Amino acid sequence: DGFDHVYIMRGGRVVAERGPDSQLVETFEQNLDTETTVLPRGLFRDDIQVLSDVPMLNQLCPETLKLVAYTGDRLTFSNEEVLFREGEIGEEAFIIIEGNVDVVIGEGDNESLLYTHGPGTIIGEMALLSDTLRTATIRAQGELKVLRLSRDLFFELVGRDVNLGLAVMQGLSDRLVALTGQLENAQRAGKVVP
């Protein structure tokens, strides 16, 4: 029925926070010499720290990281809960804030675990970039907290910064190299037919 907190922004910077009763909770000082803003305590500061550790995002300026932290949706998943399934249409990407996910392909007895990813990993971006169906199922391993980025926000961020576009390509390339290595090892072990 309402918001837990309202953040007041001026010039792209958070300047105050109001609680659920509309009372002023905190104002944020700005250091005019360095153009930095003291961030709110708790969730958003933690989100921004995790985001700054994401290889695809760590080249972004602090203001853009704040934008991601404030505009992304924070979601919590329970153990074994599925974020998305192989074969679904991809409409968002997720950044793991806390916890781990299993990346699996197949179902039931044919299910294979490809990877386990933890905090700072971005997942789901491949379906957004290639406009294809999801290539794997992503499942929470224990309690999981993520930041969900819509397709529009993801592409806005990629469009804002050339370095982010290059980082996305590098991340995808790294995954392809790792997956190719896994496939070669499986072939050598006779588990996969060439």
Side-chain angles (χ1 to χ4, degrees), residues 2-194:
F3 295 102
D4 291 335
H5 292 273
V6 174
Y7 294 90
I8 301 165
M9 299 182 74
R10 278 197 201 101
R13 298 183 186 281
V14 176
V15 294
E17 175 186 3
R18 294 193 181 273
D21 56 1
S22 295
Q23 294 296 317
L24 187 64
V25 173
E26 184 173 3
T27 58
F28 309 110
E29 303 169 9
Q30 184 174 352
N31 181 335
L32 298 175
D33 295 333
T34 62
E35 289 296 313
T36 60
T37 302
V38 177
L39 298 172
R41 290 187 290 273
L43 183 64
F44 293 111
R45 179 179 282 162
D46 295 344
D47 286 356
I48 292 169
Q49 180 58 51
V50 170
L51 292 175
S52 68
D53 293 337
V54 175
M56 290 185 196
L57 302 177
N58 67 7
Q59 299 298 317
L60 296 178
C61 65
E63 288 75 20
T64 304
L65 285 174
K66 290 177 200 173
L67 176 68
V68 173
Y70 288 111
T71 57
D73 298 318
R74 279 152 212 77
L75 303 173
T76 301
F77 292 88
S78 301
N79 187 39
E80 298 291 317
E81 194 171 352
V82 173
L83 282 72
F84 56 81
R85 293 189 185 284
E86 181 178 358
E88 291 180 347
I89 295 172
E91 293 298 326
E92 63 265 325
F94 298 87
I95 300 170
I96 301 172
I97 301 297
E98 187 178 308
N100 295 298
V101 298
D102 288 333
V103 180
V104 298
I105 57 172
E107 293 181 19
D109 292 340
N110 295 324
E111 182 178 286
S112 295
L113 175 67
L114 296 179
Y115 304 104
T116 297
H117 290 301
T121 304
I122 187 167
I123 52 175
E125 79 285 7
M126 290 193 319
L128 299 182
L129 291 168
S130 62
D131 204 25
T132 59
L133 300 178
R134 301 284 191 189
T135 58
T137 296
I138 305 297
R139 188 172 48 225
Q141 187 188 81
E143 185 173 318
L144 175 71
K145 295 181 182 179
V146 299
L147 192 64
R148 180 176 60 189
L149 305 178
S150 69
R151 177 185 294 270
D152 291 340
L153 178 58
F154 181 79
F155 281 112
E156 179 183 335
L157 294 171
V158 170
R160 280 180 181 241
D161 192 323
V162 167
N163 290 327
L164 178 58
L166 292 172
V168 168
M169 287 190 297
Q170 178 68 47
L172 292 173
S173 176
D174 290 346
R175 282 190 200 168
L176 182 59
V177 167
L179 192 55
T180 301
Q182 286 181 331
L183 182 58
E184 289 171 351
N185 289 339
Q187 284 176 333
R188 279 190 216 108
K191 295 180 180 178
V192 176
V193 178

